């Protein structure tokens, strides 16, 4: 049938410093975790290690530290792990205390705004700080792949504070942007910008449109770049823009307030660039069609907190999101094709409660068995079960205005009301 036959797993990171591996099929559960909880050392970004095997997982902390762990081939229960069961295999030094950065959701000035690893023959680790500094390390091999690493191979100063930093040009470049900084793409080899976005024309009062970029993602081909914004036209009104870096500096498509009068906190773009996903600070999540000027064509329900990360499966139409409501949810955005409208509300196919506020998530390129993946194509059941429980609780409550004494008291009140009505009628006849 062509479906992969490996477990469907995901990774989640939280603001206390824990990285968890979650199994999504056949049941949602936490399989393994790494890291230690510490104040001021929460995880801001997560990524896979170099190579396609996904043998390592990495995180960027709020203090500027970058750490990678080796994934275990076996599923070890959480209760069986000790604090030293999974020490970091690669630990890069924290950033130096220079300047001040603007964090989109809080955190220190040197917190990691982006992290990724690329390369097969000569792997590299790229980390972008909120100060706008981008550092490149050489991935160690052999016995050197343990403990602290040395100085970075290269350092790039982008010049402005960065709220987000993502991989571009197949890992050979980096895309950065933030509050007051339009998106730009930098070459890691040359150390200079190869593309810069241009702001929109001035508004009707001839004032510059405020720049408040909260998130950006680059399509797999490296040509299309999607951005989410939180401040447009002097109002806290979200906007999503789509750029074609090979064609022009201005956006080729944009939509204002696709999720209502609220800021956009996370975006994602499909590999073919046809679909853009946007999440808001209040938990709204929708799929926008790039062929229809980023019109919302499908909305996803059940989120109750600000969405911090949207992750897409590289081969299957699966979408994972993580946010402040402490739940990671999985949606199937490919079911039904383009028949769904913006009024259609799609529920999650899987969800797991993870106790801490989530800041990042990743979907493994592995997929479930044929039966498990086909089951995910059905209508979401996780949220429907919650709604069924709520409906059952509400059905047990008395109706508004209903008496509390049972059927006998209700019958007595009806007889009394009939007697009063009869008395009024006889009084009127006597008059």
């Amino acid at each position: 049938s062509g479906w992969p036959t490996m477990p469907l797993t995901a990774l989640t990171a939280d603001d206390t410093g824990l990285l968890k591996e979650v199994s999504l099929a056949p049941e949602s559960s936490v399989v393994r975790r790494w890291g230690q909880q510490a104040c001021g050392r929460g995880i801001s970004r997560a990524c896979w290690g170099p190579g396609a095997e996904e043998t390592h997982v990495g995180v960027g902390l709020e203090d500027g530290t970058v750490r990678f762990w080796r994934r275990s081939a076996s599923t070890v229960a959480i209760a069986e792990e000790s604090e030293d069961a999974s020490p970091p295999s690669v630990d890069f030094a924290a950033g130096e205390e220079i300047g001040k950065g603007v964090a989109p959701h809080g955190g220190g000035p040197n917190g990691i705004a982006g992290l990724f690893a690329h390369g097969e023959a000569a792997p590299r680790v790229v980390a972008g700080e909120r100060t706008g500094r981008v550092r490149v390390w050489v991935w160690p091999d052999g016995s050197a792949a343990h403990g602290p690493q040395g100085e970075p191979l290269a350092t790039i100063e982008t010049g402005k504070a960065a709220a987000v930093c993502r991989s571009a040009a197949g890992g050979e470049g980096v895309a950065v942007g933030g509050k007051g900084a339009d998106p730009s793409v930098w070459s890691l080899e040359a150390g200079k910008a190869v593309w810069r976005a241009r702001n929109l024309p001035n508004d009707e009062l001839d004032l510059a449109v405020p720049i408040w970029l909260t998130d950006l993602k680059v399509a797999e081909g490296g040509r299309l770049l999607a951005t989410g914004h939180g401040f447009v036209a002097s109002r806290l009104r979200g906007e999503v823009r789509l750029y074609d870096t090979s064609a022009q500096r201005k956006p080729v498509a944009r939509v204002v307030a696709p999720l209502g009068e609220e800021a956009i906190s996370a975006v994602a773009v499909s590999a073919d660039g046809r679909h853009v996903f946007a999440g808001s600070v209040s938990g709204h999540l929708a799929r926008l069609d790039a062929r229809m000027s980023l019109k919302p064509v499908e909305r996803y329900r059940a989120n109750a907190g600000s969405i911090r990360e949207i992750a897409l499966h590289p081969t299957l139409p699966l979408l994972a999101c993580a946010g402040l409501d402490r739940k990671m949810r999985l949606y199937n955005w490919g079911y039904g094709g383009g028949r769904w409208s913006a009024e259609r509300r799609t529920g999650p196919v899987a969800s797991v409660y993870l106790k801490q506020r989530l800041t990042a998530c990743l979907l493994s390129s592995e997929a479930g068995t044929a039966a498990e993946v086909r089951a995910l194509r059905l209508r979401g059941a996780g949220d429907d079960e919650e709604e069924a429980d709520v409906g059952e609780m509400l059905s047990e409550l008395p109706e508004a205005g209903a008496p509390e004494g049972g059927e006998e008291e209700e019958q007595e009140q009806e007889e009394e009301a009939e007697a009063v009505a009869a008395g009024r009628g006889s009084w009127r006849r006597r008059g």
Side-chain angles (χ1 to χ4, degrees), residues 311-354:
L312 301 179
H313 195 278
T315 57
L316 300 178
L318 298 177
L319 159 72
C321 68
L324 297 188
D325 60 354
R326 295 172 168 84
K327 271 193 174 184
M328 196 212 71
R329 294 176 174 87
L330 182 71
Y331 298 89
N332 185 352
W333 61 269
Y335 181 71
R339 294 179 294 169
W340 286 348
S341 63
E343 289 74 20
R344 178 73 179 186
R345 306 272 178 171
T346 306
V349 296
S351 64
V352 56
Y353 180 72
L354 295 164

Side-chain angles (χ1 to χ4, degrees), residues 4 12 40 43 54 59 62 72 77 85-86 96 143 169 174 213 235 242 247 266 280 298 306 334 343 361-362 389 420:
T12 62
I43 299 174
E54 298 178 352
V59 296
E62 292 291 349
S72 175
S86 56
E96 301 172 359
S143 60
V174 58
L213 191 147
R235 300 174 62 186
L242 186 64
S280 70
E298 185 178 1
S306 176
E343 289 74 20
C361 66
L362 296 171
D389 295 339
V420 172

Side-chain angles (χ1 to χ4, degrees), residues 135-326:
R135 298 189 175 195
V136 183
W137 284 275
V138 177
W139 181 262
D141 55 354
S143 60
H146 297 278
Q149 302 300 309
E151 293 296 322
L153 175 66
T155 301
I156 302 174
E157 297 288 349
T158 61
K160 292 185 178 181
V164 61
C165 172
R166 303 290 187 183
S167 171
E172 300 297 330
V174 58
V176 297
K179 187 174 182 181
D182 267 322
S184 59
V185 178
W186 294 70
S187 172
L188 295 178
E189 181 179 358
K192 62 181 181 179
V194 296
W195 178 86
R196 293 181 185 268
R198 180 179 295 175
N199 195 16
L200 300 175
N202 293 352
D203 58 14
E204 63 275 6
L205 299 177
D206 198 25
L207 298 176
V209 177
I211 302 173
W212 193 343
L213 191 147
T214 56
D215 195 14
L216 67 86
K217 290 289 178 61
V218 182
E220 186 174 345
R223 183 173 59 90
L224 296 178
L225 186 148
T227 61
H229 301 257
F231 193 88
V232 180
S234 302
R235 300 174 62 186
L236 188 60
R237 184 172 56 176
E239 179 179 347
V240 177
R241 301 177 186 176
L242 186 64
Y243 294 88
D244 187 346
T245 58
S246 64
Q248 61 187 38
R249 297 173 58 187
K250 292 184 179 180
V252 295
R254 57 187 291 257
V255 57
V256 178
L259 304 179
E261 301 291 323
E262 55 191 16
I264 302 296
S265 58
V267 295
V269 58
S270 61
D272 56 7
R274 295 181 178 180
H275 307 280
V276 178
F277 302 85
S280 70
V281 293
S282 64
H284 293 102
L285 181 63
R287 174 165 62 95
L288 315 178
D289 196 332
R291 297 167 294 181
M292 302 172 63
S293 300
L294 296 178
K295 176 184 177 182
V297 295
E298 185 178 1
R299 298 182 185 271
Y300 307 94
R301 51 186 168 86
N303 293 288
S306 176
I307 297 177
R308 295 299 174 84
E309 185 77 27
I310 301 175
L312 301 179
H313 195 278
T315 57
L316 300 178
L318 298 177
L319 159 72
C321 68
L324 297 188
D325 60 354
R326 295 172 168 84

